[in-house]
């Protein structure tokens, strides 16, 4: 029998640190660069802050949960794609300068340069049959690249039944949590992309990289200015590739950047606000790479998505990368 | 204008400078160039405008000020002699800033023009007084704006400049019964059609620069509507032809009209392709074309930028905002009257797509007027 060459996002789980802080508290603790009023006006309210947990702890927690909740046999997980948005997430750094696993960002320590979180994840999860690949350097778009590659691998390799995609990022302790007028949360998400899955079938994946905009610090204004036209162009291109129009999309599953930016982008892509799932911007904030999957899970749980619905996922990651995906629920 | 005497105000300005260069090479013409009194030497300023030009007219540089009354800041003897000899006036002085408070715009454009009108009343030999105005006295009107029409018709203005020019037109119009006056309404002047040389950098050039720097994410407007721009050589030649030949009183549009204009979408495309062509390295920056958006979306974006307090982005959106609101009120400027007078001269607006790329090239090569080229 010919292997099915479609893949779907079978199940999703997240890990958010229990500690929650409000915009006001972050401001009072000196963890904001900009004005709390602007962040509030842009739709932010609270974020999750990791305490003791490292990014690998959060990754394991999210991955364990998705494995527990799904009916996928652990032996069927044929690959782990570990997506790291922050460069530090590709190490075993604990966010405070140390590491319980022995690898921090010490570029001059040769042994440390070969200690990878993806391997720790594999052994901790007990998935000896799943080779690992790390995906990084795309900022918040890294999980989109993982999903895209998972689907491509499933299509290309007949024996691969399921791929575990994980992303986890923890901000360095004590640093400003607002980036380009967005408020950053710590968190992780994990998903299983499974061959032949009809739920959340991945229809189209696209990405634009503008390498010229790599220096997020020096040319922040140019990046902000490029955001809307590039996002609009990519979303239109993705819809066209899928043979769909905006009206065919039942729900846009966003990344949790400012509500204001989604108000603007919604107008540009001609999507009314009620078809953009923005509930978690205020209460979760921008979990770097985990937003879209977290939102997809919560929108599903809230009964907002019906079988057959087309969903459009969009994110932006420094680098600069714009990524879009259409799935059919 | 041979054997005649022309008073030119605003000779150091973008349009006035172009007019001065054309007038200066006419034999037998007497030119009184009024230069605003300042701590700079007026002769040096005029010399800088004329450059290597072989001046054949009789050029007289006068220091003055249109803001100080009907004497225009001239001493009694000079005033009397200039009044006596003046056969033509071209009033090209004023403020072209879009961001002045209304009172200051009025002081420059309404009070200053009233003084020039009073001056004109004392010129016994006056044959034609030409007051330069703008097609944007039409304000937020939409649709076709005819030369016979005046003002915003209650739709309001985009900025204080437009309003002050419309008010200026009212006083000129009121004086048309007693004086041989014409109003010459210019479209946006962008540069020389052959060399691309820009006499005065304005908001269009600033917008090109913002696009070049990747700081122009969106522009309000309708992609299909024309953006009316004209070349400086057309404006200078046509203005002088009208001054000599137009019936007075009269109102004339020096505009490209629909036929010679590119649409907003085309103009953005021409800008991007010119930047890529004349600065190939720019392509590496992969700057996305600005989106053409409705006014509400643009306002929301501007408001958001204001809230962030980001000075660079605020500066960029404000710069676009001062003129871009015009793009959100698209209109076509009818040019029938001007075309009739210009018909036999062969002077006509060039297609903007034919010369606009040269202007973009000039902007790049001169680094927006900061580098000699
Ligand atoms: N350029 C365009 O695209 C455009 C488009 C439509 C209409 N127009 C009209 O064309 C005319 C000329 O515009 P422009 O672009 O040449 O303007 P500009 O470059 O800003 O020049 C203005 C001129 O007016 C002079 N001036 C200002 N206040 C004065 C005063 N109180 N006394 C004496 N001189 C004074 C300035 O002298 P200083 O050099 O000392 O400042 C300068 O020579 C204006 O009526 C404008 O409304 C221009």
């Amino acid at each position: 029998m010919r292997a099915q060459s479609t893949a779907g996002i079978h199940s999703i789980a997240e890990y958010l640190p229990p500690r929650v802080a409000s915009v006001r508290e972050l401001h009072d603790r000196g963890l904001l660069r900009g004005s709390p009023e602007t962040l509030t006006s842009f739709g932010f309210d609270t974020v999750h802050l990791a305490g003791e947990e490292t990014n690998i702890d959060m990754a394991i927690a999210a991955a364990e949960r998705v494995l527990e909740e799904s009916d996928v046999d652990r032996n069927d997980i044929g690959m782990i794609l570990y997506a790291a948005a922050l460069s530090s997430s590709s190490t075993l750094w604990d966010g405070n300068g140390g590491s319980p696993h022995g690898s921090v960002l010490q570029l001059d320590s040769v042994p440390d340069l070969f200690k990878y979180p993806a391997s720790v994840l594999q052994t901790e999860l007990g998935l000896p049959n799943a080779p690992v690949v790390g995906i990084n350097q795309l900022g918040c778009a890294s999980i989109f690249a993982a999903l895209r590659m998972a689907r491509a691998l499933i299509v290309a390799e007949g024996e691969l039944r399921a791929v575990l995609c994980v992303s986890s990022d923890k901000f360095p302790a004590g640093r400003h949590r607002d980036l380009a007028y967005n408020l950053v949360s710590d968190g992780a998400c994990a998903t299983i992309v499974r061959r032949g899955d009809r739920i959340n079938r991945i229809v189209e994946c696209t990405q634009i990289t503008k390498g010229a905009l790599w220096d997020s610090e020096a040319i922040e204004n140019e990046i902000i200015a490029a955001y809307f036209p590039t996002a609009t162009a990519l979303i239109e291109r993705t819809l066209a590739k899928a043979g769909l129009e905006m009206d065919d999309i039942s729900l846009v599953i966003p990344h949790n950047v400012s509500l204001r930016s989604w108000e603007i982008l919604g107008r540009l892509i001609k999507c009314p606000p009620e078809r953009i799932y923005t509930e978690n911007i205020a209460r979760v904030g921008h979990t770097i790479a985990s937003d879209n999957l977290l939102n997809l899970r919560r929108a599903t749980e809230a009964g907002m998505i019906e079988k057959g619905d087309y969903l459009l996922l969009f994110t932006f990651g420094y680098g600069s990368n714009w990524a879009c995906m259409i799935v059919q629920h | 204008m041979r054997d005649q005497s022309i008073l030119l105000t605003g000779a150091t300005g973008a349009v006035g400078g172009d007019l001065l260069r054309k007038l200066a090479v006419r034999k037998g013409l007497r030119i009184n160039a009024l230069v605003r009194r300042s701590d700079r030497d007026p002769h040096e300023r005029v010399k800088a405008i004329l450059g290597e030009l072989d001046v054949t007219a009789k050029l007289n540089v006068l220091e003055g000020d249109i803001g100080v009354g009907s004497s225009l800041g001239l001493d009694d003897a000079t005033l009397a002699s200039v009044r006596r000899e003046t056969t033509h006036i071209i009033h090209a002085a004023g403020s072209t800033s879009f961001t002045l408070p209304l009172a200051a715009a009025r002081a420059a454009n309404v009070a200053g023009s009233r003084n020039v009108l009073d001056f004109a009343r004392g010129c016994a030999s006056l044959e034609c007084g030409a007051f330069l105005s703008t097609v944007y006295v039409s304000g937020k009107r939409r649709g076709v704006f005819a030369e016979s029409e005046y003002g915003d018709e209650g739709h309001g203005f985009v900025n204080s400049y437009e309003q002050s020019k419309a008010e200026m037109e009212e006083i000129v119009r009121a004086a048309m019964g007693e004086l041989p006056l014409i109003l010459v309404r210019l479209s946006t002047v962008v540069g020389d059609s052959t060399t691309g040389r820009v006499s005065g950098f304005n908001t269009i050039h600033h917008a090109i620069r913002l696009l070049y720097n990747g700081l122009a994410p969106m522009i309000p407007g309708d992609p299909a509507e024309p953006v009316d721009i004209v070349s400086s050589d057309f404006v200078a030649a046509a203005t002088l032809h009208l001054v000599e030949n137009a019936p007075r009183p009269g109102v004339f549009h020096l505009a490209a009209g629909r036929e010679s204009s590119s649409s907003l979408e085309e103009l953005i495309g021409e800008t991007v392709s010119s930047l890529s062509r004349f600065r190939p390295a720019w392509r590496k920056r992969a700057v996305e074309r600005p989106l053409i958006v409705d006014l509400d979306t643009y306002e929301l974006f501007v408001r958001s930028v204001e809230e962030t307090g980001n000075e660079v982005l605020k500066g960029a959106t404000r710069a676009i905002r001062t003129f871009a609101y015009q793009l959100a009120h698209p209109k076509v400027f009818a040019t029938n009257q001007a075309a009739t007078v210009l018909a036999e001269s062969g002077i006509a607006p060039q297609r903007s797509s034919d010369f606009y790329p040269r202007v973009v090239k000039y902007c790049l090569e001169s680094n927006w007027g900061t580098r000699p080229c």
Side-chain angles (χ1 to χ4, degrees), chain B residues 36-309:
Chain B
R36 192 201 323 227
R37 184 165 286 115
S38 72
D39 50 10
R40 285 179 290 172
D41 180 351
H43 295 91
E44 288 303 318
R45 293 188 72 192
V46 167
K47 234 162 120 183
I49 289 164
L50 296 174
E52 302 294 303
L53 219 58
D54 184 13
V55 177
T56 50
K58 281 180 236 150
L59 177 60
N60 189 23
V61 177
L62 304 174
E63 229 181 351
D65 195 318
I66 60 164
V68 299
S70 61
S71 71
L72 308 183
L74 304 175
D75 61 56
D76 289 348
T78 311
L79 178 65
S81 95
V82 175
R83 270 198 167 140
R84 208 168 29 246
E85 69 180 52
T86 295
T87 54
H88 296 78
I89 297 171
I90 302 180
H91 177 41
S95 167
T96 49
S97 164
F98 291 172
T99 52
L100 285 185
L102 184 58
R106 278 179 172 147
N109 293 331
V110 187
S113 298
R114 186 175 287 118
N115 291 334
V116 175
L117 280 174
D118 285 343
F119 170 88
R121 288 191 176 91
C123 300
S125 317
L126 188 68
E127 292 173 27
C128 179
F131 283 66
L132 300 196
S133 184
T134 166
V135 289
Y136 292 108
V137 291
S138 48
K140 292 183 184 167
R141 280 177 190 240
R142 290 164 191 257
V144 176
F145 182 54
E147 288 154 307
S148 55
E149 294 179 282
Y150 283 88
D152 66 322
E153 217 186 16
H155 292 275
F157 297 97
V158 165
N159 52 47
S160 62
Y161 167 69
E162 292 180 357
Q163 183 168 349
S164 66
K165 294 299 279 190
E167 291 176 9
M168 177 278 272
E169 284 202 358
E170 285 307 315
I171 60 167
V172 173
R173 189 181 178 187
M176 278 178 169
E178 46 164 325
L179 291 169
L181 301 178
I182 60 172
L183 276 167
V184 184
R185 292 182 186 144
L186 314 184
S187 175
T188 307
V189 186
V190 295
D192 187 272
S193 65
T194 315
T195 62
R197 181 181 171 279
V198 178
S199 313
F201 287 89
N202 57 37
T203 44
I204 292 260
H205 308 104
H206 198 55
I208 298 171
R209 185 178 212 164
L210 289 172
L211 202 167
Y212 177 73
N213 288 332
L215 290 172
M218 57 186 86
I219 292 178
D222 182 331
E225 288 294 337
V227 181
D228 203 299
I229 56 174
V230 285
S231 74
S232 47
D233 44 306
F234 162 68
V235 164
T239 302
L240 294 185
H241 189 83
L242 290 172
V243 168
E244 288 172 288
N245 301 290
R248 30 218 172 239
V251 183
F252 304 93
H253 285 176
L254 297 185
R258 192 181 280 280
E259 314 76 60
S260 299
S261 297
S262 295
S263 69
L264 178 55
E265 186 163 42
E266 288 165 343
L267 193 74
I268 291 174
E270 288 159 20
T271 312
V272 170
S273 62
S274 302
L275 291 172
S276 310
R277 188 167 136 217
F278 300 122
R279 189 60 59 83
W282 182 72
R283 256 176 271 172
K284 280 213 286 201
R285 292 164 64 176
V287 172
E288 206 72 35
R289 275 171 192 231
L291 297 164
I292 301 170
V293 302
D294 60 69
L295 196 51
D296 286 347
T297 305
Y298 189 72
E299 302 258 24
L300 182 62
F301 177 69
V302 170
R303 227 175 28 247
S304 307
V305 167
E306 291 287 327
E307 274 185 60
T308 65

Side-chain angles (χ1 to χ4, degrees), chain A residues 35 37-38 41-42 181 208-213 220-226 228-230 232-233 237 260 263-264 267-268, chain B residues 213-218 284-294 296-297 300-301 303-305 307-310 312-313:
Chain A
S35 103
E37 289 76 24
T38 303
S41 156
F42 280 12
Y181 315 107
I208 290 176
T209 299
K210 295 204 170 196
L213 302 179
E220 187 184 67
N221 293 321
E222 287 82 344
I223 293 171
I224 293 172
F228 289 111
T230 314
T232 306
R237 188 194 303 172
R260 181 67 62 76
E263 275 174 49
I264 296 171
R267 286 165 165 274
L268 298 175
Chain B
N213 288 332
L215 290 172
M218 57 186 86
K284 280 213 286 201
R285 292 164 64 176
V287 172
E288 206 72 35
R289 275 171 192 231
L291 297 164
I292 301 170
V293 302
D294 60 69
D296 286 347
T297 305
L300 182 62
F301 177 69
R303 227 175 28 247
S304 307
V305 167
E307 274 185 60
T308 65
N310 180 316
V312 175
L313 292 176

Side-chain angles (χ1 to χ4, degrees), chain A residues 50-264:
Chain A
E52 290 299 303
E53 57 272 75
T54 65
N55 68 293
I56 191 71
D57 293 335
M58 295 195 295
I60 292 166
E64 275 295 0
R65 189 171 165 204
V66 82
L67 288 166
E68 272 163 29
E69 288 180 0
S70 81
D71 56 3
V72 176
D73 187 329
R74 286 189 186 226
N75 291 321
D76 282 348
I77 304 287
M79 179 158 285
I80 299 170
L81 298 182
Y82 181 82
L86 303 174
S87 293
S88 54
S89 304
S90 296
T91 74
L92 291 162
W93 191 58
D94 73 354
N96 295 310
S99 164
H101 297 277
S103 169
V104 293
L105 282 172
Q106 298 287 344
L107 293 179
D108 55 357
S109 161
V110 172
D112 274 6
L113 297 179
F114 294 100
K115 295 173 187 169
Y116 309 116
S119 303
V120 177
L121 185 66
Q122 189 232 33
T123 185
E124 292 287 330
L125 294 174
L127 298 173
N129 299 331
V132 302
V133 174
I135 293 175
N136 57 12
Q137 304 190 29
L138 300 98
C140 309
S142 53
I143 193 71
F144 277 58
L147 295 170
R148 183 179 189 175
M149 286 179 196
R151 177 212 191 207
L153 285 168
I154 285 172
V155 171
E157 299 183 7
E159 284 154 29
L160 188 59
R161 282 206 279 266
V163 176
L164 174 67
C165 300
V166 184
S167 92
S168 174
D169 289 285
K170 177 181 178 181
F171 236 42
R175 297 304 157 105
H176 291 145
R177 290 224 152 229
D178 48 338
L179 268 182
Y181 315 107
N182 294 304
L183 195 57
V184 174
S185 207
D186 298 322
C189 74
T191 186
I192 296 170
V193 178
R194 196 164 70 163
R195 172 181 301 279
D197 236 301
R198 294 261 146 213
I199 292 186
N200 297 326
R201 178 179 65 93
I202 299 173
V203 176
E204 202 60 68
C205 305
T206 52
Q207 183 189 329
I208 290 176
T209 299
K210 295 204 170 196
L213 302 179
W214 67 269
D215 190 341
S216 56
E217 191 179 12
I219 52 167
E220 187 184 67
N221 293 321
E222 287 82 344
I223 293 171
I224 293 172
Y227 175 78
F228 289 111
T230 314
T232 306
L234 182 67
I235 290 170
E236 285 171 357
R237 188 194 303 172
T238 313
L239 286 166
K241 273 183 87 178
L244 298 171
E245 293 182 358
M246 199 63 226
D247 282 348
D248 299 319
I249 302 295
S250 305
L251 198 62
V252 170
I253 307 290
H255 56 338
N256 292 344
V257 292
S258 84
L259 187 58
R260 181 67 62 76
S261 74
W262 272 105
E263 275 174 49
I264 296 171

